[in-house]
Amino acid sequence: MSGSDNLMILPSTDKTRIRLVRIPPDYRDQEVYRHVTGLIARVEEQSPDFDWEEILAVLEDHGFEPVEFQLGPSLD
């Protein structure tokens, strides 16, 4: 991972389902949130019992990459 990587956290109330993805360089900050929201909504619409692998496949089709991370302790 280089210092110029642009990353997005995909939060979840279940901490085991939090994901981190690398944003492709051709996305601007203003549009990436809306675009990812739309992609996830499309998966939810097509497959109500969706899982992370289905979402990841769609994100990867659009140039996003999963990033491994370690979740630290809570700050609150």
Side-chain angles (χ1 to χ4, degrees):
M1 192 162 68
S2 73
S4 63
D5 284 341
N6 221 356
L7 304 172
M8 174 182 271
I9 296 171
L10 303 176
S12 175
T13 54
D14 176 354
K15 65 182 176 183
T16 65
R17 296 182 63 204
I18 295 171
R19 302 292 187 246
L20 182 65
V21 294
R22 182 173 293 112
I23 301 168
D26 53 330
Y27 284 93
R28 294 189 322 222
D29 289 344
Q30 300 86 354
E31 66 187 18
V32 72
Y33 180 89
R34 182 176 43 219
H35 187 67
V36 169
T37 300
L39 294 173
I40 293 171
R42 188 180 325 155
V43 171
E44 291 173 336
E45 227 173 64
Q46 294 173 352
S47 177
D49 296 325
F50 69 93
D51 63 14
W52 165 242
E53 296 304 319
E54 291 174 88
I55 292 173
L56 179 58
V58 170
L59 291 174
E60 286 178 329
D61 287 346
H62 291 267
F64 293 84
E65 300 174 32
V67 177
E68 293 295 319
F69 69 97
Q70 182 172 346
L71 190 61
S74 176
L75 296 176
D76 56 2

